[in-house]
Amino acid sequence: MSAKPTVNEFMVRLANVNGTGSASANALLMKALFRMGLPVSGKNYFPSNIQGLPTWYEIRASGSGRLGRTRRVDIMVAMNAETYRKDLADTASGGYLIYDSTWPRNTLLSRDDITILGVPLSKMCNENFPTARARILMKNVAYVGVIAALLDLELDVIKRLLNETFRDKVSLLDANQLAIDLGYNYARDNFTCPLPFTAKRLDKTTNHIVMDGNTASALGCLYAGATFGAWYPITPSTSIMDAFKRFCEQYRKDPASGESNYCIVQAEDELAAIGMVLGASWNGARAFTPTSGPGISLMSEFLGYGYFAEIPAVLFDVQRVGPSTGMPTRTQQGDIMSCAYASHGDTRHVLLFPANPEECFYQAVQAFDLAERLQTPVIVLSDLDIGMNDWMTAELKWDDSYQPDRGKVLDADQLKKLESFHRYLDTDGDGIAHRTLPGTHPKGAYFTRGSGHNMFGKYTESASEYLQVVDRLRRKWETAKTYVPGPVVDYSEKNRIGILSLGSCDGAIQEARSGLAAKGESFNYLRVRAFPFNDDVQKFLDAHDRIYVVEQNRDAQLKSLLLLEMDVESKKLSSILHYNGLPMVAENVVDGLQQDIAKGRAA
């Protein structure tokens, strides 16, 4: 069965074995499409072991800019015999499956509604490359050449990318170019090229970059002025610190002496990491730690200490599948509740919810400003899909006049003018007391403690003095609502049904809304970007008869948080949940909406 001719709208899935060096070849293909001006995204599904298990990489190209995950696989490159049956089943009707035909198979599973293309990739590489390792690596590059021919990609673009990557390694440059030519020429000689799926040059990637969220978060930390990081390695957040280290090695060194102006510590565990961050922040450094769900669980006691002692700190929780160890290399939004109320007692934490790498960068900067302005830990909740996958995003912009918001920090001159300094005394009613940094002036000294203390910083077990402190913290929480970023809202008075969501659900929701709008069904949309929720969220809740809360967890954690924190009847909220570890697709949203609406109409 032939596919309907389609230009600049297709998805390629590359099935391989983890540890065989396919990542660079897959990235080469994605970057070539991007350089041709075609909007692209890349999603990597990899196992949590080092090598040997299946891995898939999906490249979606969309001239219309729809770059969320899609279920439809138009071209499947099946390089892993262990997953061939699944890869065959996942190929869309009318699609194409490419496999390595070096070794004839007596029985080859097939389907009448797709086209199967055999390419002797191993044979070609065995004949042209001298070492076993080169043959394995170049086999992946060769299939890039095959796809280039089938999609009619511009070979000059691929050649420029290879020159940029291997300009200092001529032998590798020549080997990669040869592999591209082998695959390209074989496809041109043996198949009808191009396929019905073709890529044509556009101009839709100007002023855009391809970036993952963890790198963007690390860059945001650098621009925010962070100089200290502590962490215990955990998937999928470790690459934040890897990237921060690279940036610091380039930009955090004194040009005269060559000495480093930063400190990065790999702690013995997550408890030590957050403890170090709180200590560094108390001393005046901008400090952070990246982690994931299990790390948040371990850090909870120290997070409560940071909240009650009112010490700034920034955490990046790149969420993964739980509970327990769960699936470390799959994505989810399962830490919303555990982060909002991390620690025991009456504790609330400021949360930020980026939806893409661009927001990871800007919200990283906001997190440090909020942490110091509010004197409290701030947690940025990304997820594996945002953090470790390749996203096309607008070029990041920076205002060189930016000054860090250090909040209410008294310097020596201010302290000299005071009769006395009281660490936890609220002088202006916003719930935020003044603080000092160690060594500023003797008048600014105080005890920092996580046990009961009064407004003067002294130990207490007095009921009334305790109430003064925790009631002030509640006032500070109300103040926080005026500082956190507001939601993104698309609202029309004619619509009485709305969608409310957060984070990486955004792409699927936007695509779903676009498809439904084409059929005459429209829905208002609010994407929360922070907790605490502000008045705009309440207005959205009040303005609709029904609201669909879309999130990626089993237990409707965002919906639960709305019911706990906002004035809304539970019957008004309906959940659309997706939590199998794969990124949400538009069909998840459409199916959820239509099924629930159909029930309502039937009733």
Side-chain angles (χ1 to χ4, degrees), residues 263-484:
C263 179
I264 296 174
V265 181
Q266 180 175 330
E268 60 266 37
D269 54 34
E270 285 89 351
L271 284 82
I274 185 62
M276 293 174 186
V277 167
L278 288 169
S281 295
W282 179 80
N283 273 280
R286 286 199 149 184
F288 72 98
T289 183
T291 190
S292 193
I296 292 292
S297 297
L298 289 168
M299 293 177 183
S300 289
E301 184 177 358
F302 259 135
L303 281 169
Y305 173 75
Y307 172 82
F308 196 39
E310 299 181 70
I311 302 173
V314 173
L315 293 84
F316 293 89
D317 177 8
V318 187
Q319 299 168 93
R320 70 188 205 187
V321 171
S324 187
T325 304
M327 294 193 291
T329 58
R330 294 293 183 265
T331 195
Q332 208 171 77
Q333 295 171 326
D335 300 346
I336 299 170
M337 293 295 287
S338 62
C339 285
Y341 304 117
S343 197
H344 52 280
D346 293 322
T347 309
R348 284 185 175 126
H349 295 295
V350 174
L351 311 180
L352 300 181
F353 306 113
N356 51 56
E358 180 183 8
E359 288 192 349
C360 284
F361 173 75
Y362 295 119
Q363 289 193 6
V365 180
Q366 287 178 309
F368 285 98
D369 284 347
L370 286 167
E372 294 206 282
R373 165 56 63 179
L374 298 169
Q375 299 176 30
T376 196
V378 173
I379 308 174
V380 182
L381 272 80
S382 175
D383 59 41
L384 185 145
D385 183 25
I386 297 172
M388 296 192 71
N389 284 328
D390 298 313
W391 294 62
M392 188 184 87
T393 187
E395 287 182 351
L396 305 177
K397 300 184 184 300
W398 185 250
D399 182 357
D400 287 332
S401 66
Y402 166 78
Q403 292 293 322
D405 183 353
R406 306 306 302 266
K408 296 180 179 180
V409 181
L410 297 175
D411 60 26
D413 290 336
Q414 291 170 313
L415 285 166
K416 289 176 186 177
K417 296 174 184 177
L418 294 178
E419 274 191 37
S420 58
F421 165 70
H422 303 302
R423 172 62 182 97
Y424 299 112
L425 177 64
D426 179 12
T427 59
D428 56 12
D430 65 358
I432 305 171
H434 286 81
R435 67 183 177 116
T436 60
L437 301 180
T440 300
H441 189 274
K443 226 184 238 188
Y446 65 94
F447 283 105
T448 301
R449 60 173 79 249
S451 55
H453 52 267
N454 62 20
M455 68 175 67
F456 306 113
K458 294 180 179 180
Y459 177 80
T460 186
E461 293 187 17
S462 163
S464 60
E465 289 185 324
Y466 169 79
L467 286 178
Q468 286 177 332
V469 173
V470 294
D471 287 346
R472 178 181 56 78
L473 290 175
R474 182 167 55 190
R475 289 200 305 275
K476 182 164 73 169
W477 183 252
E478 294 301 315
T479 298
K481 295 178 182 180
T482 66
Y483 285 123
V484 298

Side-chain angles (χ1 to χ4, degrees), residues 13 37-38 141 155 378 401 448 466 485 588:
R13 181 184 294 172
L38 181 56
V141 181
L155 282 182
V378 173
S401 66
T448 301
Y466 169 79
N588 298 136

